[in-house]
Amino acid sequence: VELLANDDSARATVLRAEALEQLGRVNEAAAGLQPWRDRLQDETIEDAAELTAAAKALVMLARLQGRPAQDYHLAMQLFARARDDLDRFYWPAHLAEAHLLLEKDNRPDAARAAFAALRLNPRSSEAWHLLGSMAIDGFDFDRATTCIDRLRQINNDHLLADILEASSYLRQKAPSEARQVLEPLIARFPRQRQLLALLAATESLTYDEEATRAALQHYDSLSPNSPLAYFTVGEHLSAARQYQAAEQALRVAIDRSPNWPAPRVELGLLLMQGGEEEKARAELTHAARLDPFNTRANNQLQLVEELLGYEQIVTDHFIIKYRKGIDAVLARDMPQPLERIHREVTGVFEHRPGRRTRIEIMPDEKWFGVRITGMPEIWTIAACTGDVIALVPPRDGPRLRGTFDWVNVIRHEFVHTVTLDQTANRIPHWFTEACAVSQELTGRDYATCQLLATALQEDRLFELDQITWGFVRPKTPQDRPLAYAQSHWMLQYITATYGHRAVVQMLRMYRQGAGDIEALTAATDTSTDVFMTRFKQWAQQQTKRWGLGPQPHDPRIATLLATQTNDEATLLNDLLAEYPDHPDLLRLAAERAVSRADDQAAYRAVLRYAAARPVDPWSHKQLVELAARTGRPQEVIGSLEHLDRHDPTQGRWAYQLAQTYRSSGQLDQAAQAAERALQREPYNATYRELAAAIDLQRNDMDAAVRHVKAMAVLEPDRAIHQVRLAALYHKMSRHEDAHHAAENALQIDPEAPVQRYMQAP
């Protein structure tokens, strides 16, 4: 402020206003900016730098006065004139535009503007910092690292690079690593406000309330009444799912700067993640009123209005929300399986969440992305934000992911709900994923077994202090799936070696604030080095049982497997005589036996391979085909059960099981198999018809009604479904419902045979 006292240029005015704001002198900052709004109405500025600075003054003044949208279009026009008309090489105009677009949460256009600045000036530190910040907000830590590297190419000790690195660690819930970056920097720059705000966030993520309070007070001593530190703390606590503490911090930021939309948008998203739509709507409505151009606020407000209009089904422990229409089919299937999931999962982990869990069926992946992150760019099928589990429906169509086992997916996510609540959201990433995968019903598939076995043999398993980075900062495409699989594998080892009580003990220690290593070593009474050594020894035995352990090295085997010609039959027999249990040789022998016409020989060869490598689904698929060819359907049940358990993407194996069980009169097993088929493909009318028929044979009228009602939704133009509903209701003495179904049938087909159901009860 002192240095700029005698400079009345637009650039000096903006710098002075920024300094005054950080000193808590907001009214002075606004008063200094006001003349530039007036001058722009009367003067035409012909200098690109001065025009860009004047437009920035407009943007800042609008924010300070609580009218952040007032001069948005004018500022964008001024930036465009500066860069396109006055000086086509003036890259700061592109950069200023990028900052304004990011302020409106228009991230795609902000990124394009930043890259436009970099095309003119590849060494623009602010542009690289902006892109890195956007990458961190989007959990794209690889791209953030690229931006950090580019900054350090400009200056090996670049402060903005260090700020990005600390921010990246915090977003990844690694406060110890962030502290290692921040403390030397603060020693060099003790008054740098962004560093001090990040330090306060670091203290908050260690759950040290006293240290957090001290850091915030120190910030306030430099920048009185500034919202920045509280906003930074609230933002990172929200990302770490510390919702109550995050809300408190964000509300302080809002009180200090009620005209700044960012804290309100963040609070609205936080409340949405906690399932408090009404409170979220109030905050988001206020934010959108302040700034109608804020993309994330508008996305979230549109979503909350949509959610408040959803249908809902309430059970003892769940609230199921869905858009009226076809997704009612899935929602009506959910109550009984959800309550079973609640009973089993809470029993395993010895903890019950204090509130009902909300299951929200989003119509497509765009809405799902907005629901989880506030933006539509996410691409997955389900996510847990604590008390809320959102998912896309398991069906084909635009912006959908196709079929999947929704029961298994929600079971996985509900484990997160339980363990997050159990540990006050302090559970390490690898351990919560390990717990969630451990409760999946599908079992470890063959590809995962191969991934683990290969990583073990090649000594590529993660060390304990690195496994979380496999989730949040994968270096190869295999790192993330390996992190999931290894986490579960280590949990299996802990349970097998130390008992399930060790798992529960670790969860309780996390709630008390114990670190990852501390909880593990206490529960297993070993050091991390000893733990990993013993785990890998145990894992070797596991891969051996899978048929994926180390095999004898013989170049003849490699040659045979590479050629696989019929001329090598003699060599194959010789090698099998020498290595009778070699899985690869047994697979080759089984393949050749299947290709010949001798079904009995093929059957024996496939069974032999299945015993040597039980995790490979190929043998079970062959046994299913052989059983069908030889007319022995009952012999195929075991293989169908295996295929059904390990293929969560389709219902055909369970559908075949249901048919097989039904044909042999095992109706209860048939009904269970039909339900499993519908767990993968709930919108499949053919599967529904079989399930309804089986339930009728079992005299389970309620279940049959549910399936026929689903068929009526899936195929609304077919009167037969309403006719069947009328008949079912009539048989159940629900005459009013029968009459209503009969009327529906006649609306579709006036000739529908429902007259007997039209009589008044």
Side-chain angles (χ1 to χ4, degrees):
V1 172
E2 291 176 1
L3 289 169
L4 297 168
N6 298 316
D7 190 337
D8 61 355
S9 67
R11 284 182 288 176
T13 301
V14 170
L15 285 171
R16 186 165 49 243
E18 290 173 349
L20 288 168
E21 183 183 21
Q22 291 196 30
L23 290 168
R25 295 154 62 180
V26 176
N27 290 337
E28 288 181 63
L33 294 166
Q34 180 64 47
W36 279 99
R37 178 182 287 161
D38 301 334
R39 288 180 63 178
L40 283 169
Q41 295 177 357
D42 302 324
E43 299 179 20
T44 300
I45 300 174
E46 299 296 338
D47 179 77
E50 195 72 349
L51 183 60
T52 299
K56 291 170 68 175
L58 282 183
V59 172
M60 187 175 182
L61 180 61
R63 176 174 59 79
L64 292 177
Q65 292 181 335
R67 299 180 293 179
Q70 176 175 338
D71 295 312
Y72 169 63
H73 287 302
L74 176 57
M76 292 294 287
Q77 291 169 8
L78 295 176
F79 292 144
R81 181 168 178 265
R83 69 164 194 259
D84 296 339
D85 299 337
L86 299 181
D87 186 347
R88 297 179 67 84
F89 294 98
Y90 189 65
W91 58 269
H94 291 281
L95 185 59
E97 183 180 25
H99 280 290
L100 179 55
L101 288 165
L102 184 57
E103 185 179 305
K104 307 301 179 187
D105 272 313
N106 185 344
R107 294 169 185 271
D109 287 345
R112 281 190 283 272
F115 279 116
L118 287 170
R119 280 194 293 273
L120 294 170
N121 179 11
R123 294 171 62 83
S124 170
S125 296
E126 284 189 71
W128 286 116
H129 176 259
L130 183 142
L131 289 169
S133 298
M134 290 172 58
I136 291 168
D137 287 343
F139 294 87
D140 188 345
F141 301 112
D142 287 340
R143 183 166 294 182
T145 299
T146 298
C147 296
I148 292 169
D149 291 341
R150 295 302 295 264
L151 285 167
R152 287 180 175 150
Q153 289 172 15
I154 297 169
N155 177 355
N156 192 49
D157 294 322
H158 208 304
L159 176 62
L160 292 182
D162 295 330
I163 286 174
L164 280 181
E165 185 174 28
S167 300
S168 179
Y169 282 131
L170 287 176
R171 186 51 58 95
Q172 296 170 70
K173 294 188 289 188
S176 297
E177 288 81 355
R179 188 188 302 280
Q180 291 175 11
V181 176
L182 289 170
E183 288 184 342
L185 290 173
I186 293 172
R188 291 168 56 200
F189 307 108
R191 297 188 178 189
Q192 214 284 341
R193 303 313 202 260
Q194 194 169 359
L195 293 178
L196 295 175
L198 289 172
L199 180 62
T202 300
E203 301 293 7
S204 73
L205 291 184
T206 64
Y207 316 118
D208 188 332
E209 294 182 9
E210 185 175 342
T212 304
R213 192 178 306 111
L216 290 168
Q217 288 173 350
H218 177 62
Y219 189 96
D220 278 350
S221 70
L222 297 173
S223 289
N225 207 39
S226 169
L228 179 61
Y230 279 94
F231 174 67
T232 305
V233 167
E235 189 179 30
H236 285 288
L237 284 173
S238 178
R241 294 172 175 166
Q242 300 294 309
Y243 295 140
Q244 185 175 358
E247 182 176 353
Q248 292 172 356
L250 290 171
R251 290 201 182 278
V252 173
I254 290 169
D255 289 342
R256 292 184 169 197
S257 185
N259 299 326
W260 187 21
R264 291 189 185 277
V265 176
E266 191 66 37
L267 179 58
L269 182 58
L270 179 155
L271 293 169
M272 287 286 289
Q273 290 175 331
E276 299 185 70
E277 280 99 357
E278 289 285 2
K279 290 171 66 177
R281 176 164 63 177
E283 298 298 337
L284 292 166
T285 299
H286 196 149
R289 194 160 50 239
L290 283 171
D291 187 0
F293 300 107
N294 189 290
T295 303
R296 193 160 60 145
N298 288 320
N299 283 341
Q300 282 291 291
L301 190 56
Q302 189 177 354
L303 174 64
V304 76
E305 296 291 355
E306 162 124 343
L307 287 173
L308 288 170
Y310 272 21
E311 304 286 312
Q312 68 177 36
I313 299 170
V314 180
T315 74
D316 289 344
H317 300 103
F318 295 89
I319 299 173
I320 305 160
K321 295 179 71 71
Y322 61 97
R323 180 190 281 181
K324 187 176 181 179
I326 192 172
D327 290 331
V329 168
L330 174 59
R332 291 168 185 164
D333 282 349
M334 285 185 165
Q336 188 173 348
L338 287 179
E339 288 299 324
R340 183 174 64 249
I341 289 171
H342 185 278
R343 186 170 55 252
E344 293 172 355
V345 170
T346 58
V348 167
F349 294 105
E350 302 179 15
H351 179 79
R352 290 189 173 197
R355 300 196 300 175
R356 281 190 176 95
T357 302
R358 302 167 72 91
I359 308 295
E360 297 181 350
I361 305 171
M362 297 290 99
D364 55 40
E365 56 92 14
K366 175 186 175 182
W367 279 114
F368 172 75
V370 174
R371 181 68 183 87
I372 298 303
T373 68
M375 301 298 286
E377 290 88 6
I378 197 169
W379 183 240
T380 184
I381 57 175
C384 163
T385 61
D387 289 336
V388 176
I389 297 171
L391 76 159
V392 293
R395 54 185 167 88
D396 295 316
R399 292 179 172 172
L400 293 171
R401 293 295 300 270
T403 58
F404 58 86
D405 188 332
W406 70 262
V407 171
N408 202 54
V409 167
I410 289 186
R411 188 181 178 95
H412 177 110
E413 299 301 334
F414 183 64
V415 174
H416 289 317
T417 296
V418 171
T419 56
L420 288 169
D421 187 76
Q422 187 172 9
T423 62
N425 295 340
R426 296 175 181 178
I427 185 171
H429 197 141
W430 79 267
F431 200 71
T432 188
E433 294 299 349
C435 290
V437 176
S438 76
Q439 293 304 300
E440 293 180 6
L441 301 176
T442 53
R444 185 180 284 115
D445 63 25
Y446 185 40
T448 302
C449 292
Q450 291 175 303
L451 177 67
L452 288 170
T454 301
L456 177 65
Q457 303 310 325
E458 296 178 357
D459 197 25
R460 289 192 294 102
L461 291 177
F462 293 104
E463 292 302 319
L464 198 60
D465 61 350
Q466 293 296 311
I467 191 165
T468 291
W469 299 111
F471 293 101
V472 297
R473 190 183 284 178
K475 296 179 180 178
T476 72
Q478 287 191 329
D479 278 359
R480 185 172 282 116
L482 178 59
Y484 273 98
Q486 184 184 330
S487 296
H488 177 217
W489 216 15
M490 291 195 299
L491 186 74
Q492 283 186 308
Y493 166 71
I494 292 170
T495 303
T497 307
Y498 304 100
H500 180 64
R501 297 302 309 169
V503 174
V504 177
Q505 179 185 347
M506 291 174 70
L507 290 168
R508 289 174 178 166
M509 291 185 68
Y510 291 139
R511 185 179 186 88
Q512 296 164 4
D516 191 2
I517 303 301
E518 179 186 355
L520 181 70
T521 55
T524 62
D525 196 26
T526 59
S527 67
T528 55
D529 289 342
V530 171
F531 173 86
M532 289 302 295
T533 298
R534 292 177 179 174
F535 161 65
K536 290 176 182 178
Q537 292 170 347
W538 173 87
Q540 290 285 2
Q541 296 303 313
Q542 288 271 301
T543 58
K544 186 176 180 181
R545 284 195 289 271
W546 297 343
L548 294 172
Q551 298 297 330
H553 178 69
D554 188 323
R556 294 175 298 165
I557 296 177
T559 301
L560 177 64
L561 295 174
T563 56
Q564 295 191 24
T565 62
N566 292 329
D567 297 337
E568 305 295 335
T570 301
L571 176 58
L572 174 60
N573 291 332
D574 292 343
L575 288 171
L576 277 172
E578 191 172 347
Y579 306 108
D581 299 319
H582 197 296
D584 293 329
L585 295 175
L586 291 172
R587 167 72 183 257
L588 183 57
E591 289 174 346
R592 292 184 173 180
V594 167
S595 67
R596 296 191 292 270
D598 189 344
D599 289 335
Q600 295 301 323
Y603 196 74
R604 289 192 298 271
V606 171
L607 283 176
R608 191 176 173 190
Y609 172 63
R613 186 171 283 161
V615 295
D616 186 353
W618 178 86
S619 56
H620 297 282
K621 292 177 182 178
Q622 299 306 315
L623 290 172
V624 169
E625 293 184 12
L626 287 167
R629 276 159 46 183
T630 56
R632 297 180 295 184
Q634 288 300 309
E635 294 184 11
V636 83
I637 286 177
S639 292
L640 285 173
E641 291 280 7
H642 177 93
L643 292 168
D644 175 48
R645 188 167 56 253
H646 290 85
D647 185 354
T649 63
Q650 54 186 330
R652 66 186 181 112
W653 308 115
Y655 180 69
Q656 290 183 48
L657 265 174
Q659 292 175 309
T660 303
Y661 279 130
R662 185 189 185 196
S663 66
S664 63
Q666 297 172 276
L667 295 180
D668 289 343
Q669 294 91 328
Q672 292 170 8
E675 289 291 345
R676 290 203 303 276
L678 288 168
Q679 287 173 199
R680 275 81 162 187
E681 300 183 48
Y683 302 90
N684 188 314
T686 300
Y687 292 0
R688 290 279 175 188
E689 192 154 15
L690 176 64
I694 293 170
D695 286 328
L696 275 173
Q697 287 181 271
R698 297 171 61 242
N699 203 33
D700 187 343
M701 306 301 289
D702 288 333
V705 165
R706 175 166 56 87
H707 294 309
V708 176
K709 285 177 71 175
M711 285 189 283
V713 174
L714 295 170
E715 300 176 336
D717 297 332
R718 294 190 63 194
I720 184 62
H721 300 316
Q722 297 294 342
V723 173
R724 289 169 173 169
L725 265 181
L728 283 169
Y729 285 137
H730 181 78
K731 189 173 183 179
M732 298 167 71
S733 298
R734 293 170 56 178
H735 300 295
E736 187 174 340
D737 290 331
H739 181 87
H740 181 66
E743 287 182 331
N744 289 340
L746 290 173
Q747 288 179 1
I748 300 169
D749 179 6
E751 303 299 322
V754 292
Q755 293 305 318
R756 60 181 298 195
Y757 310 124
M758 294 294 293
Q759 300 173 1

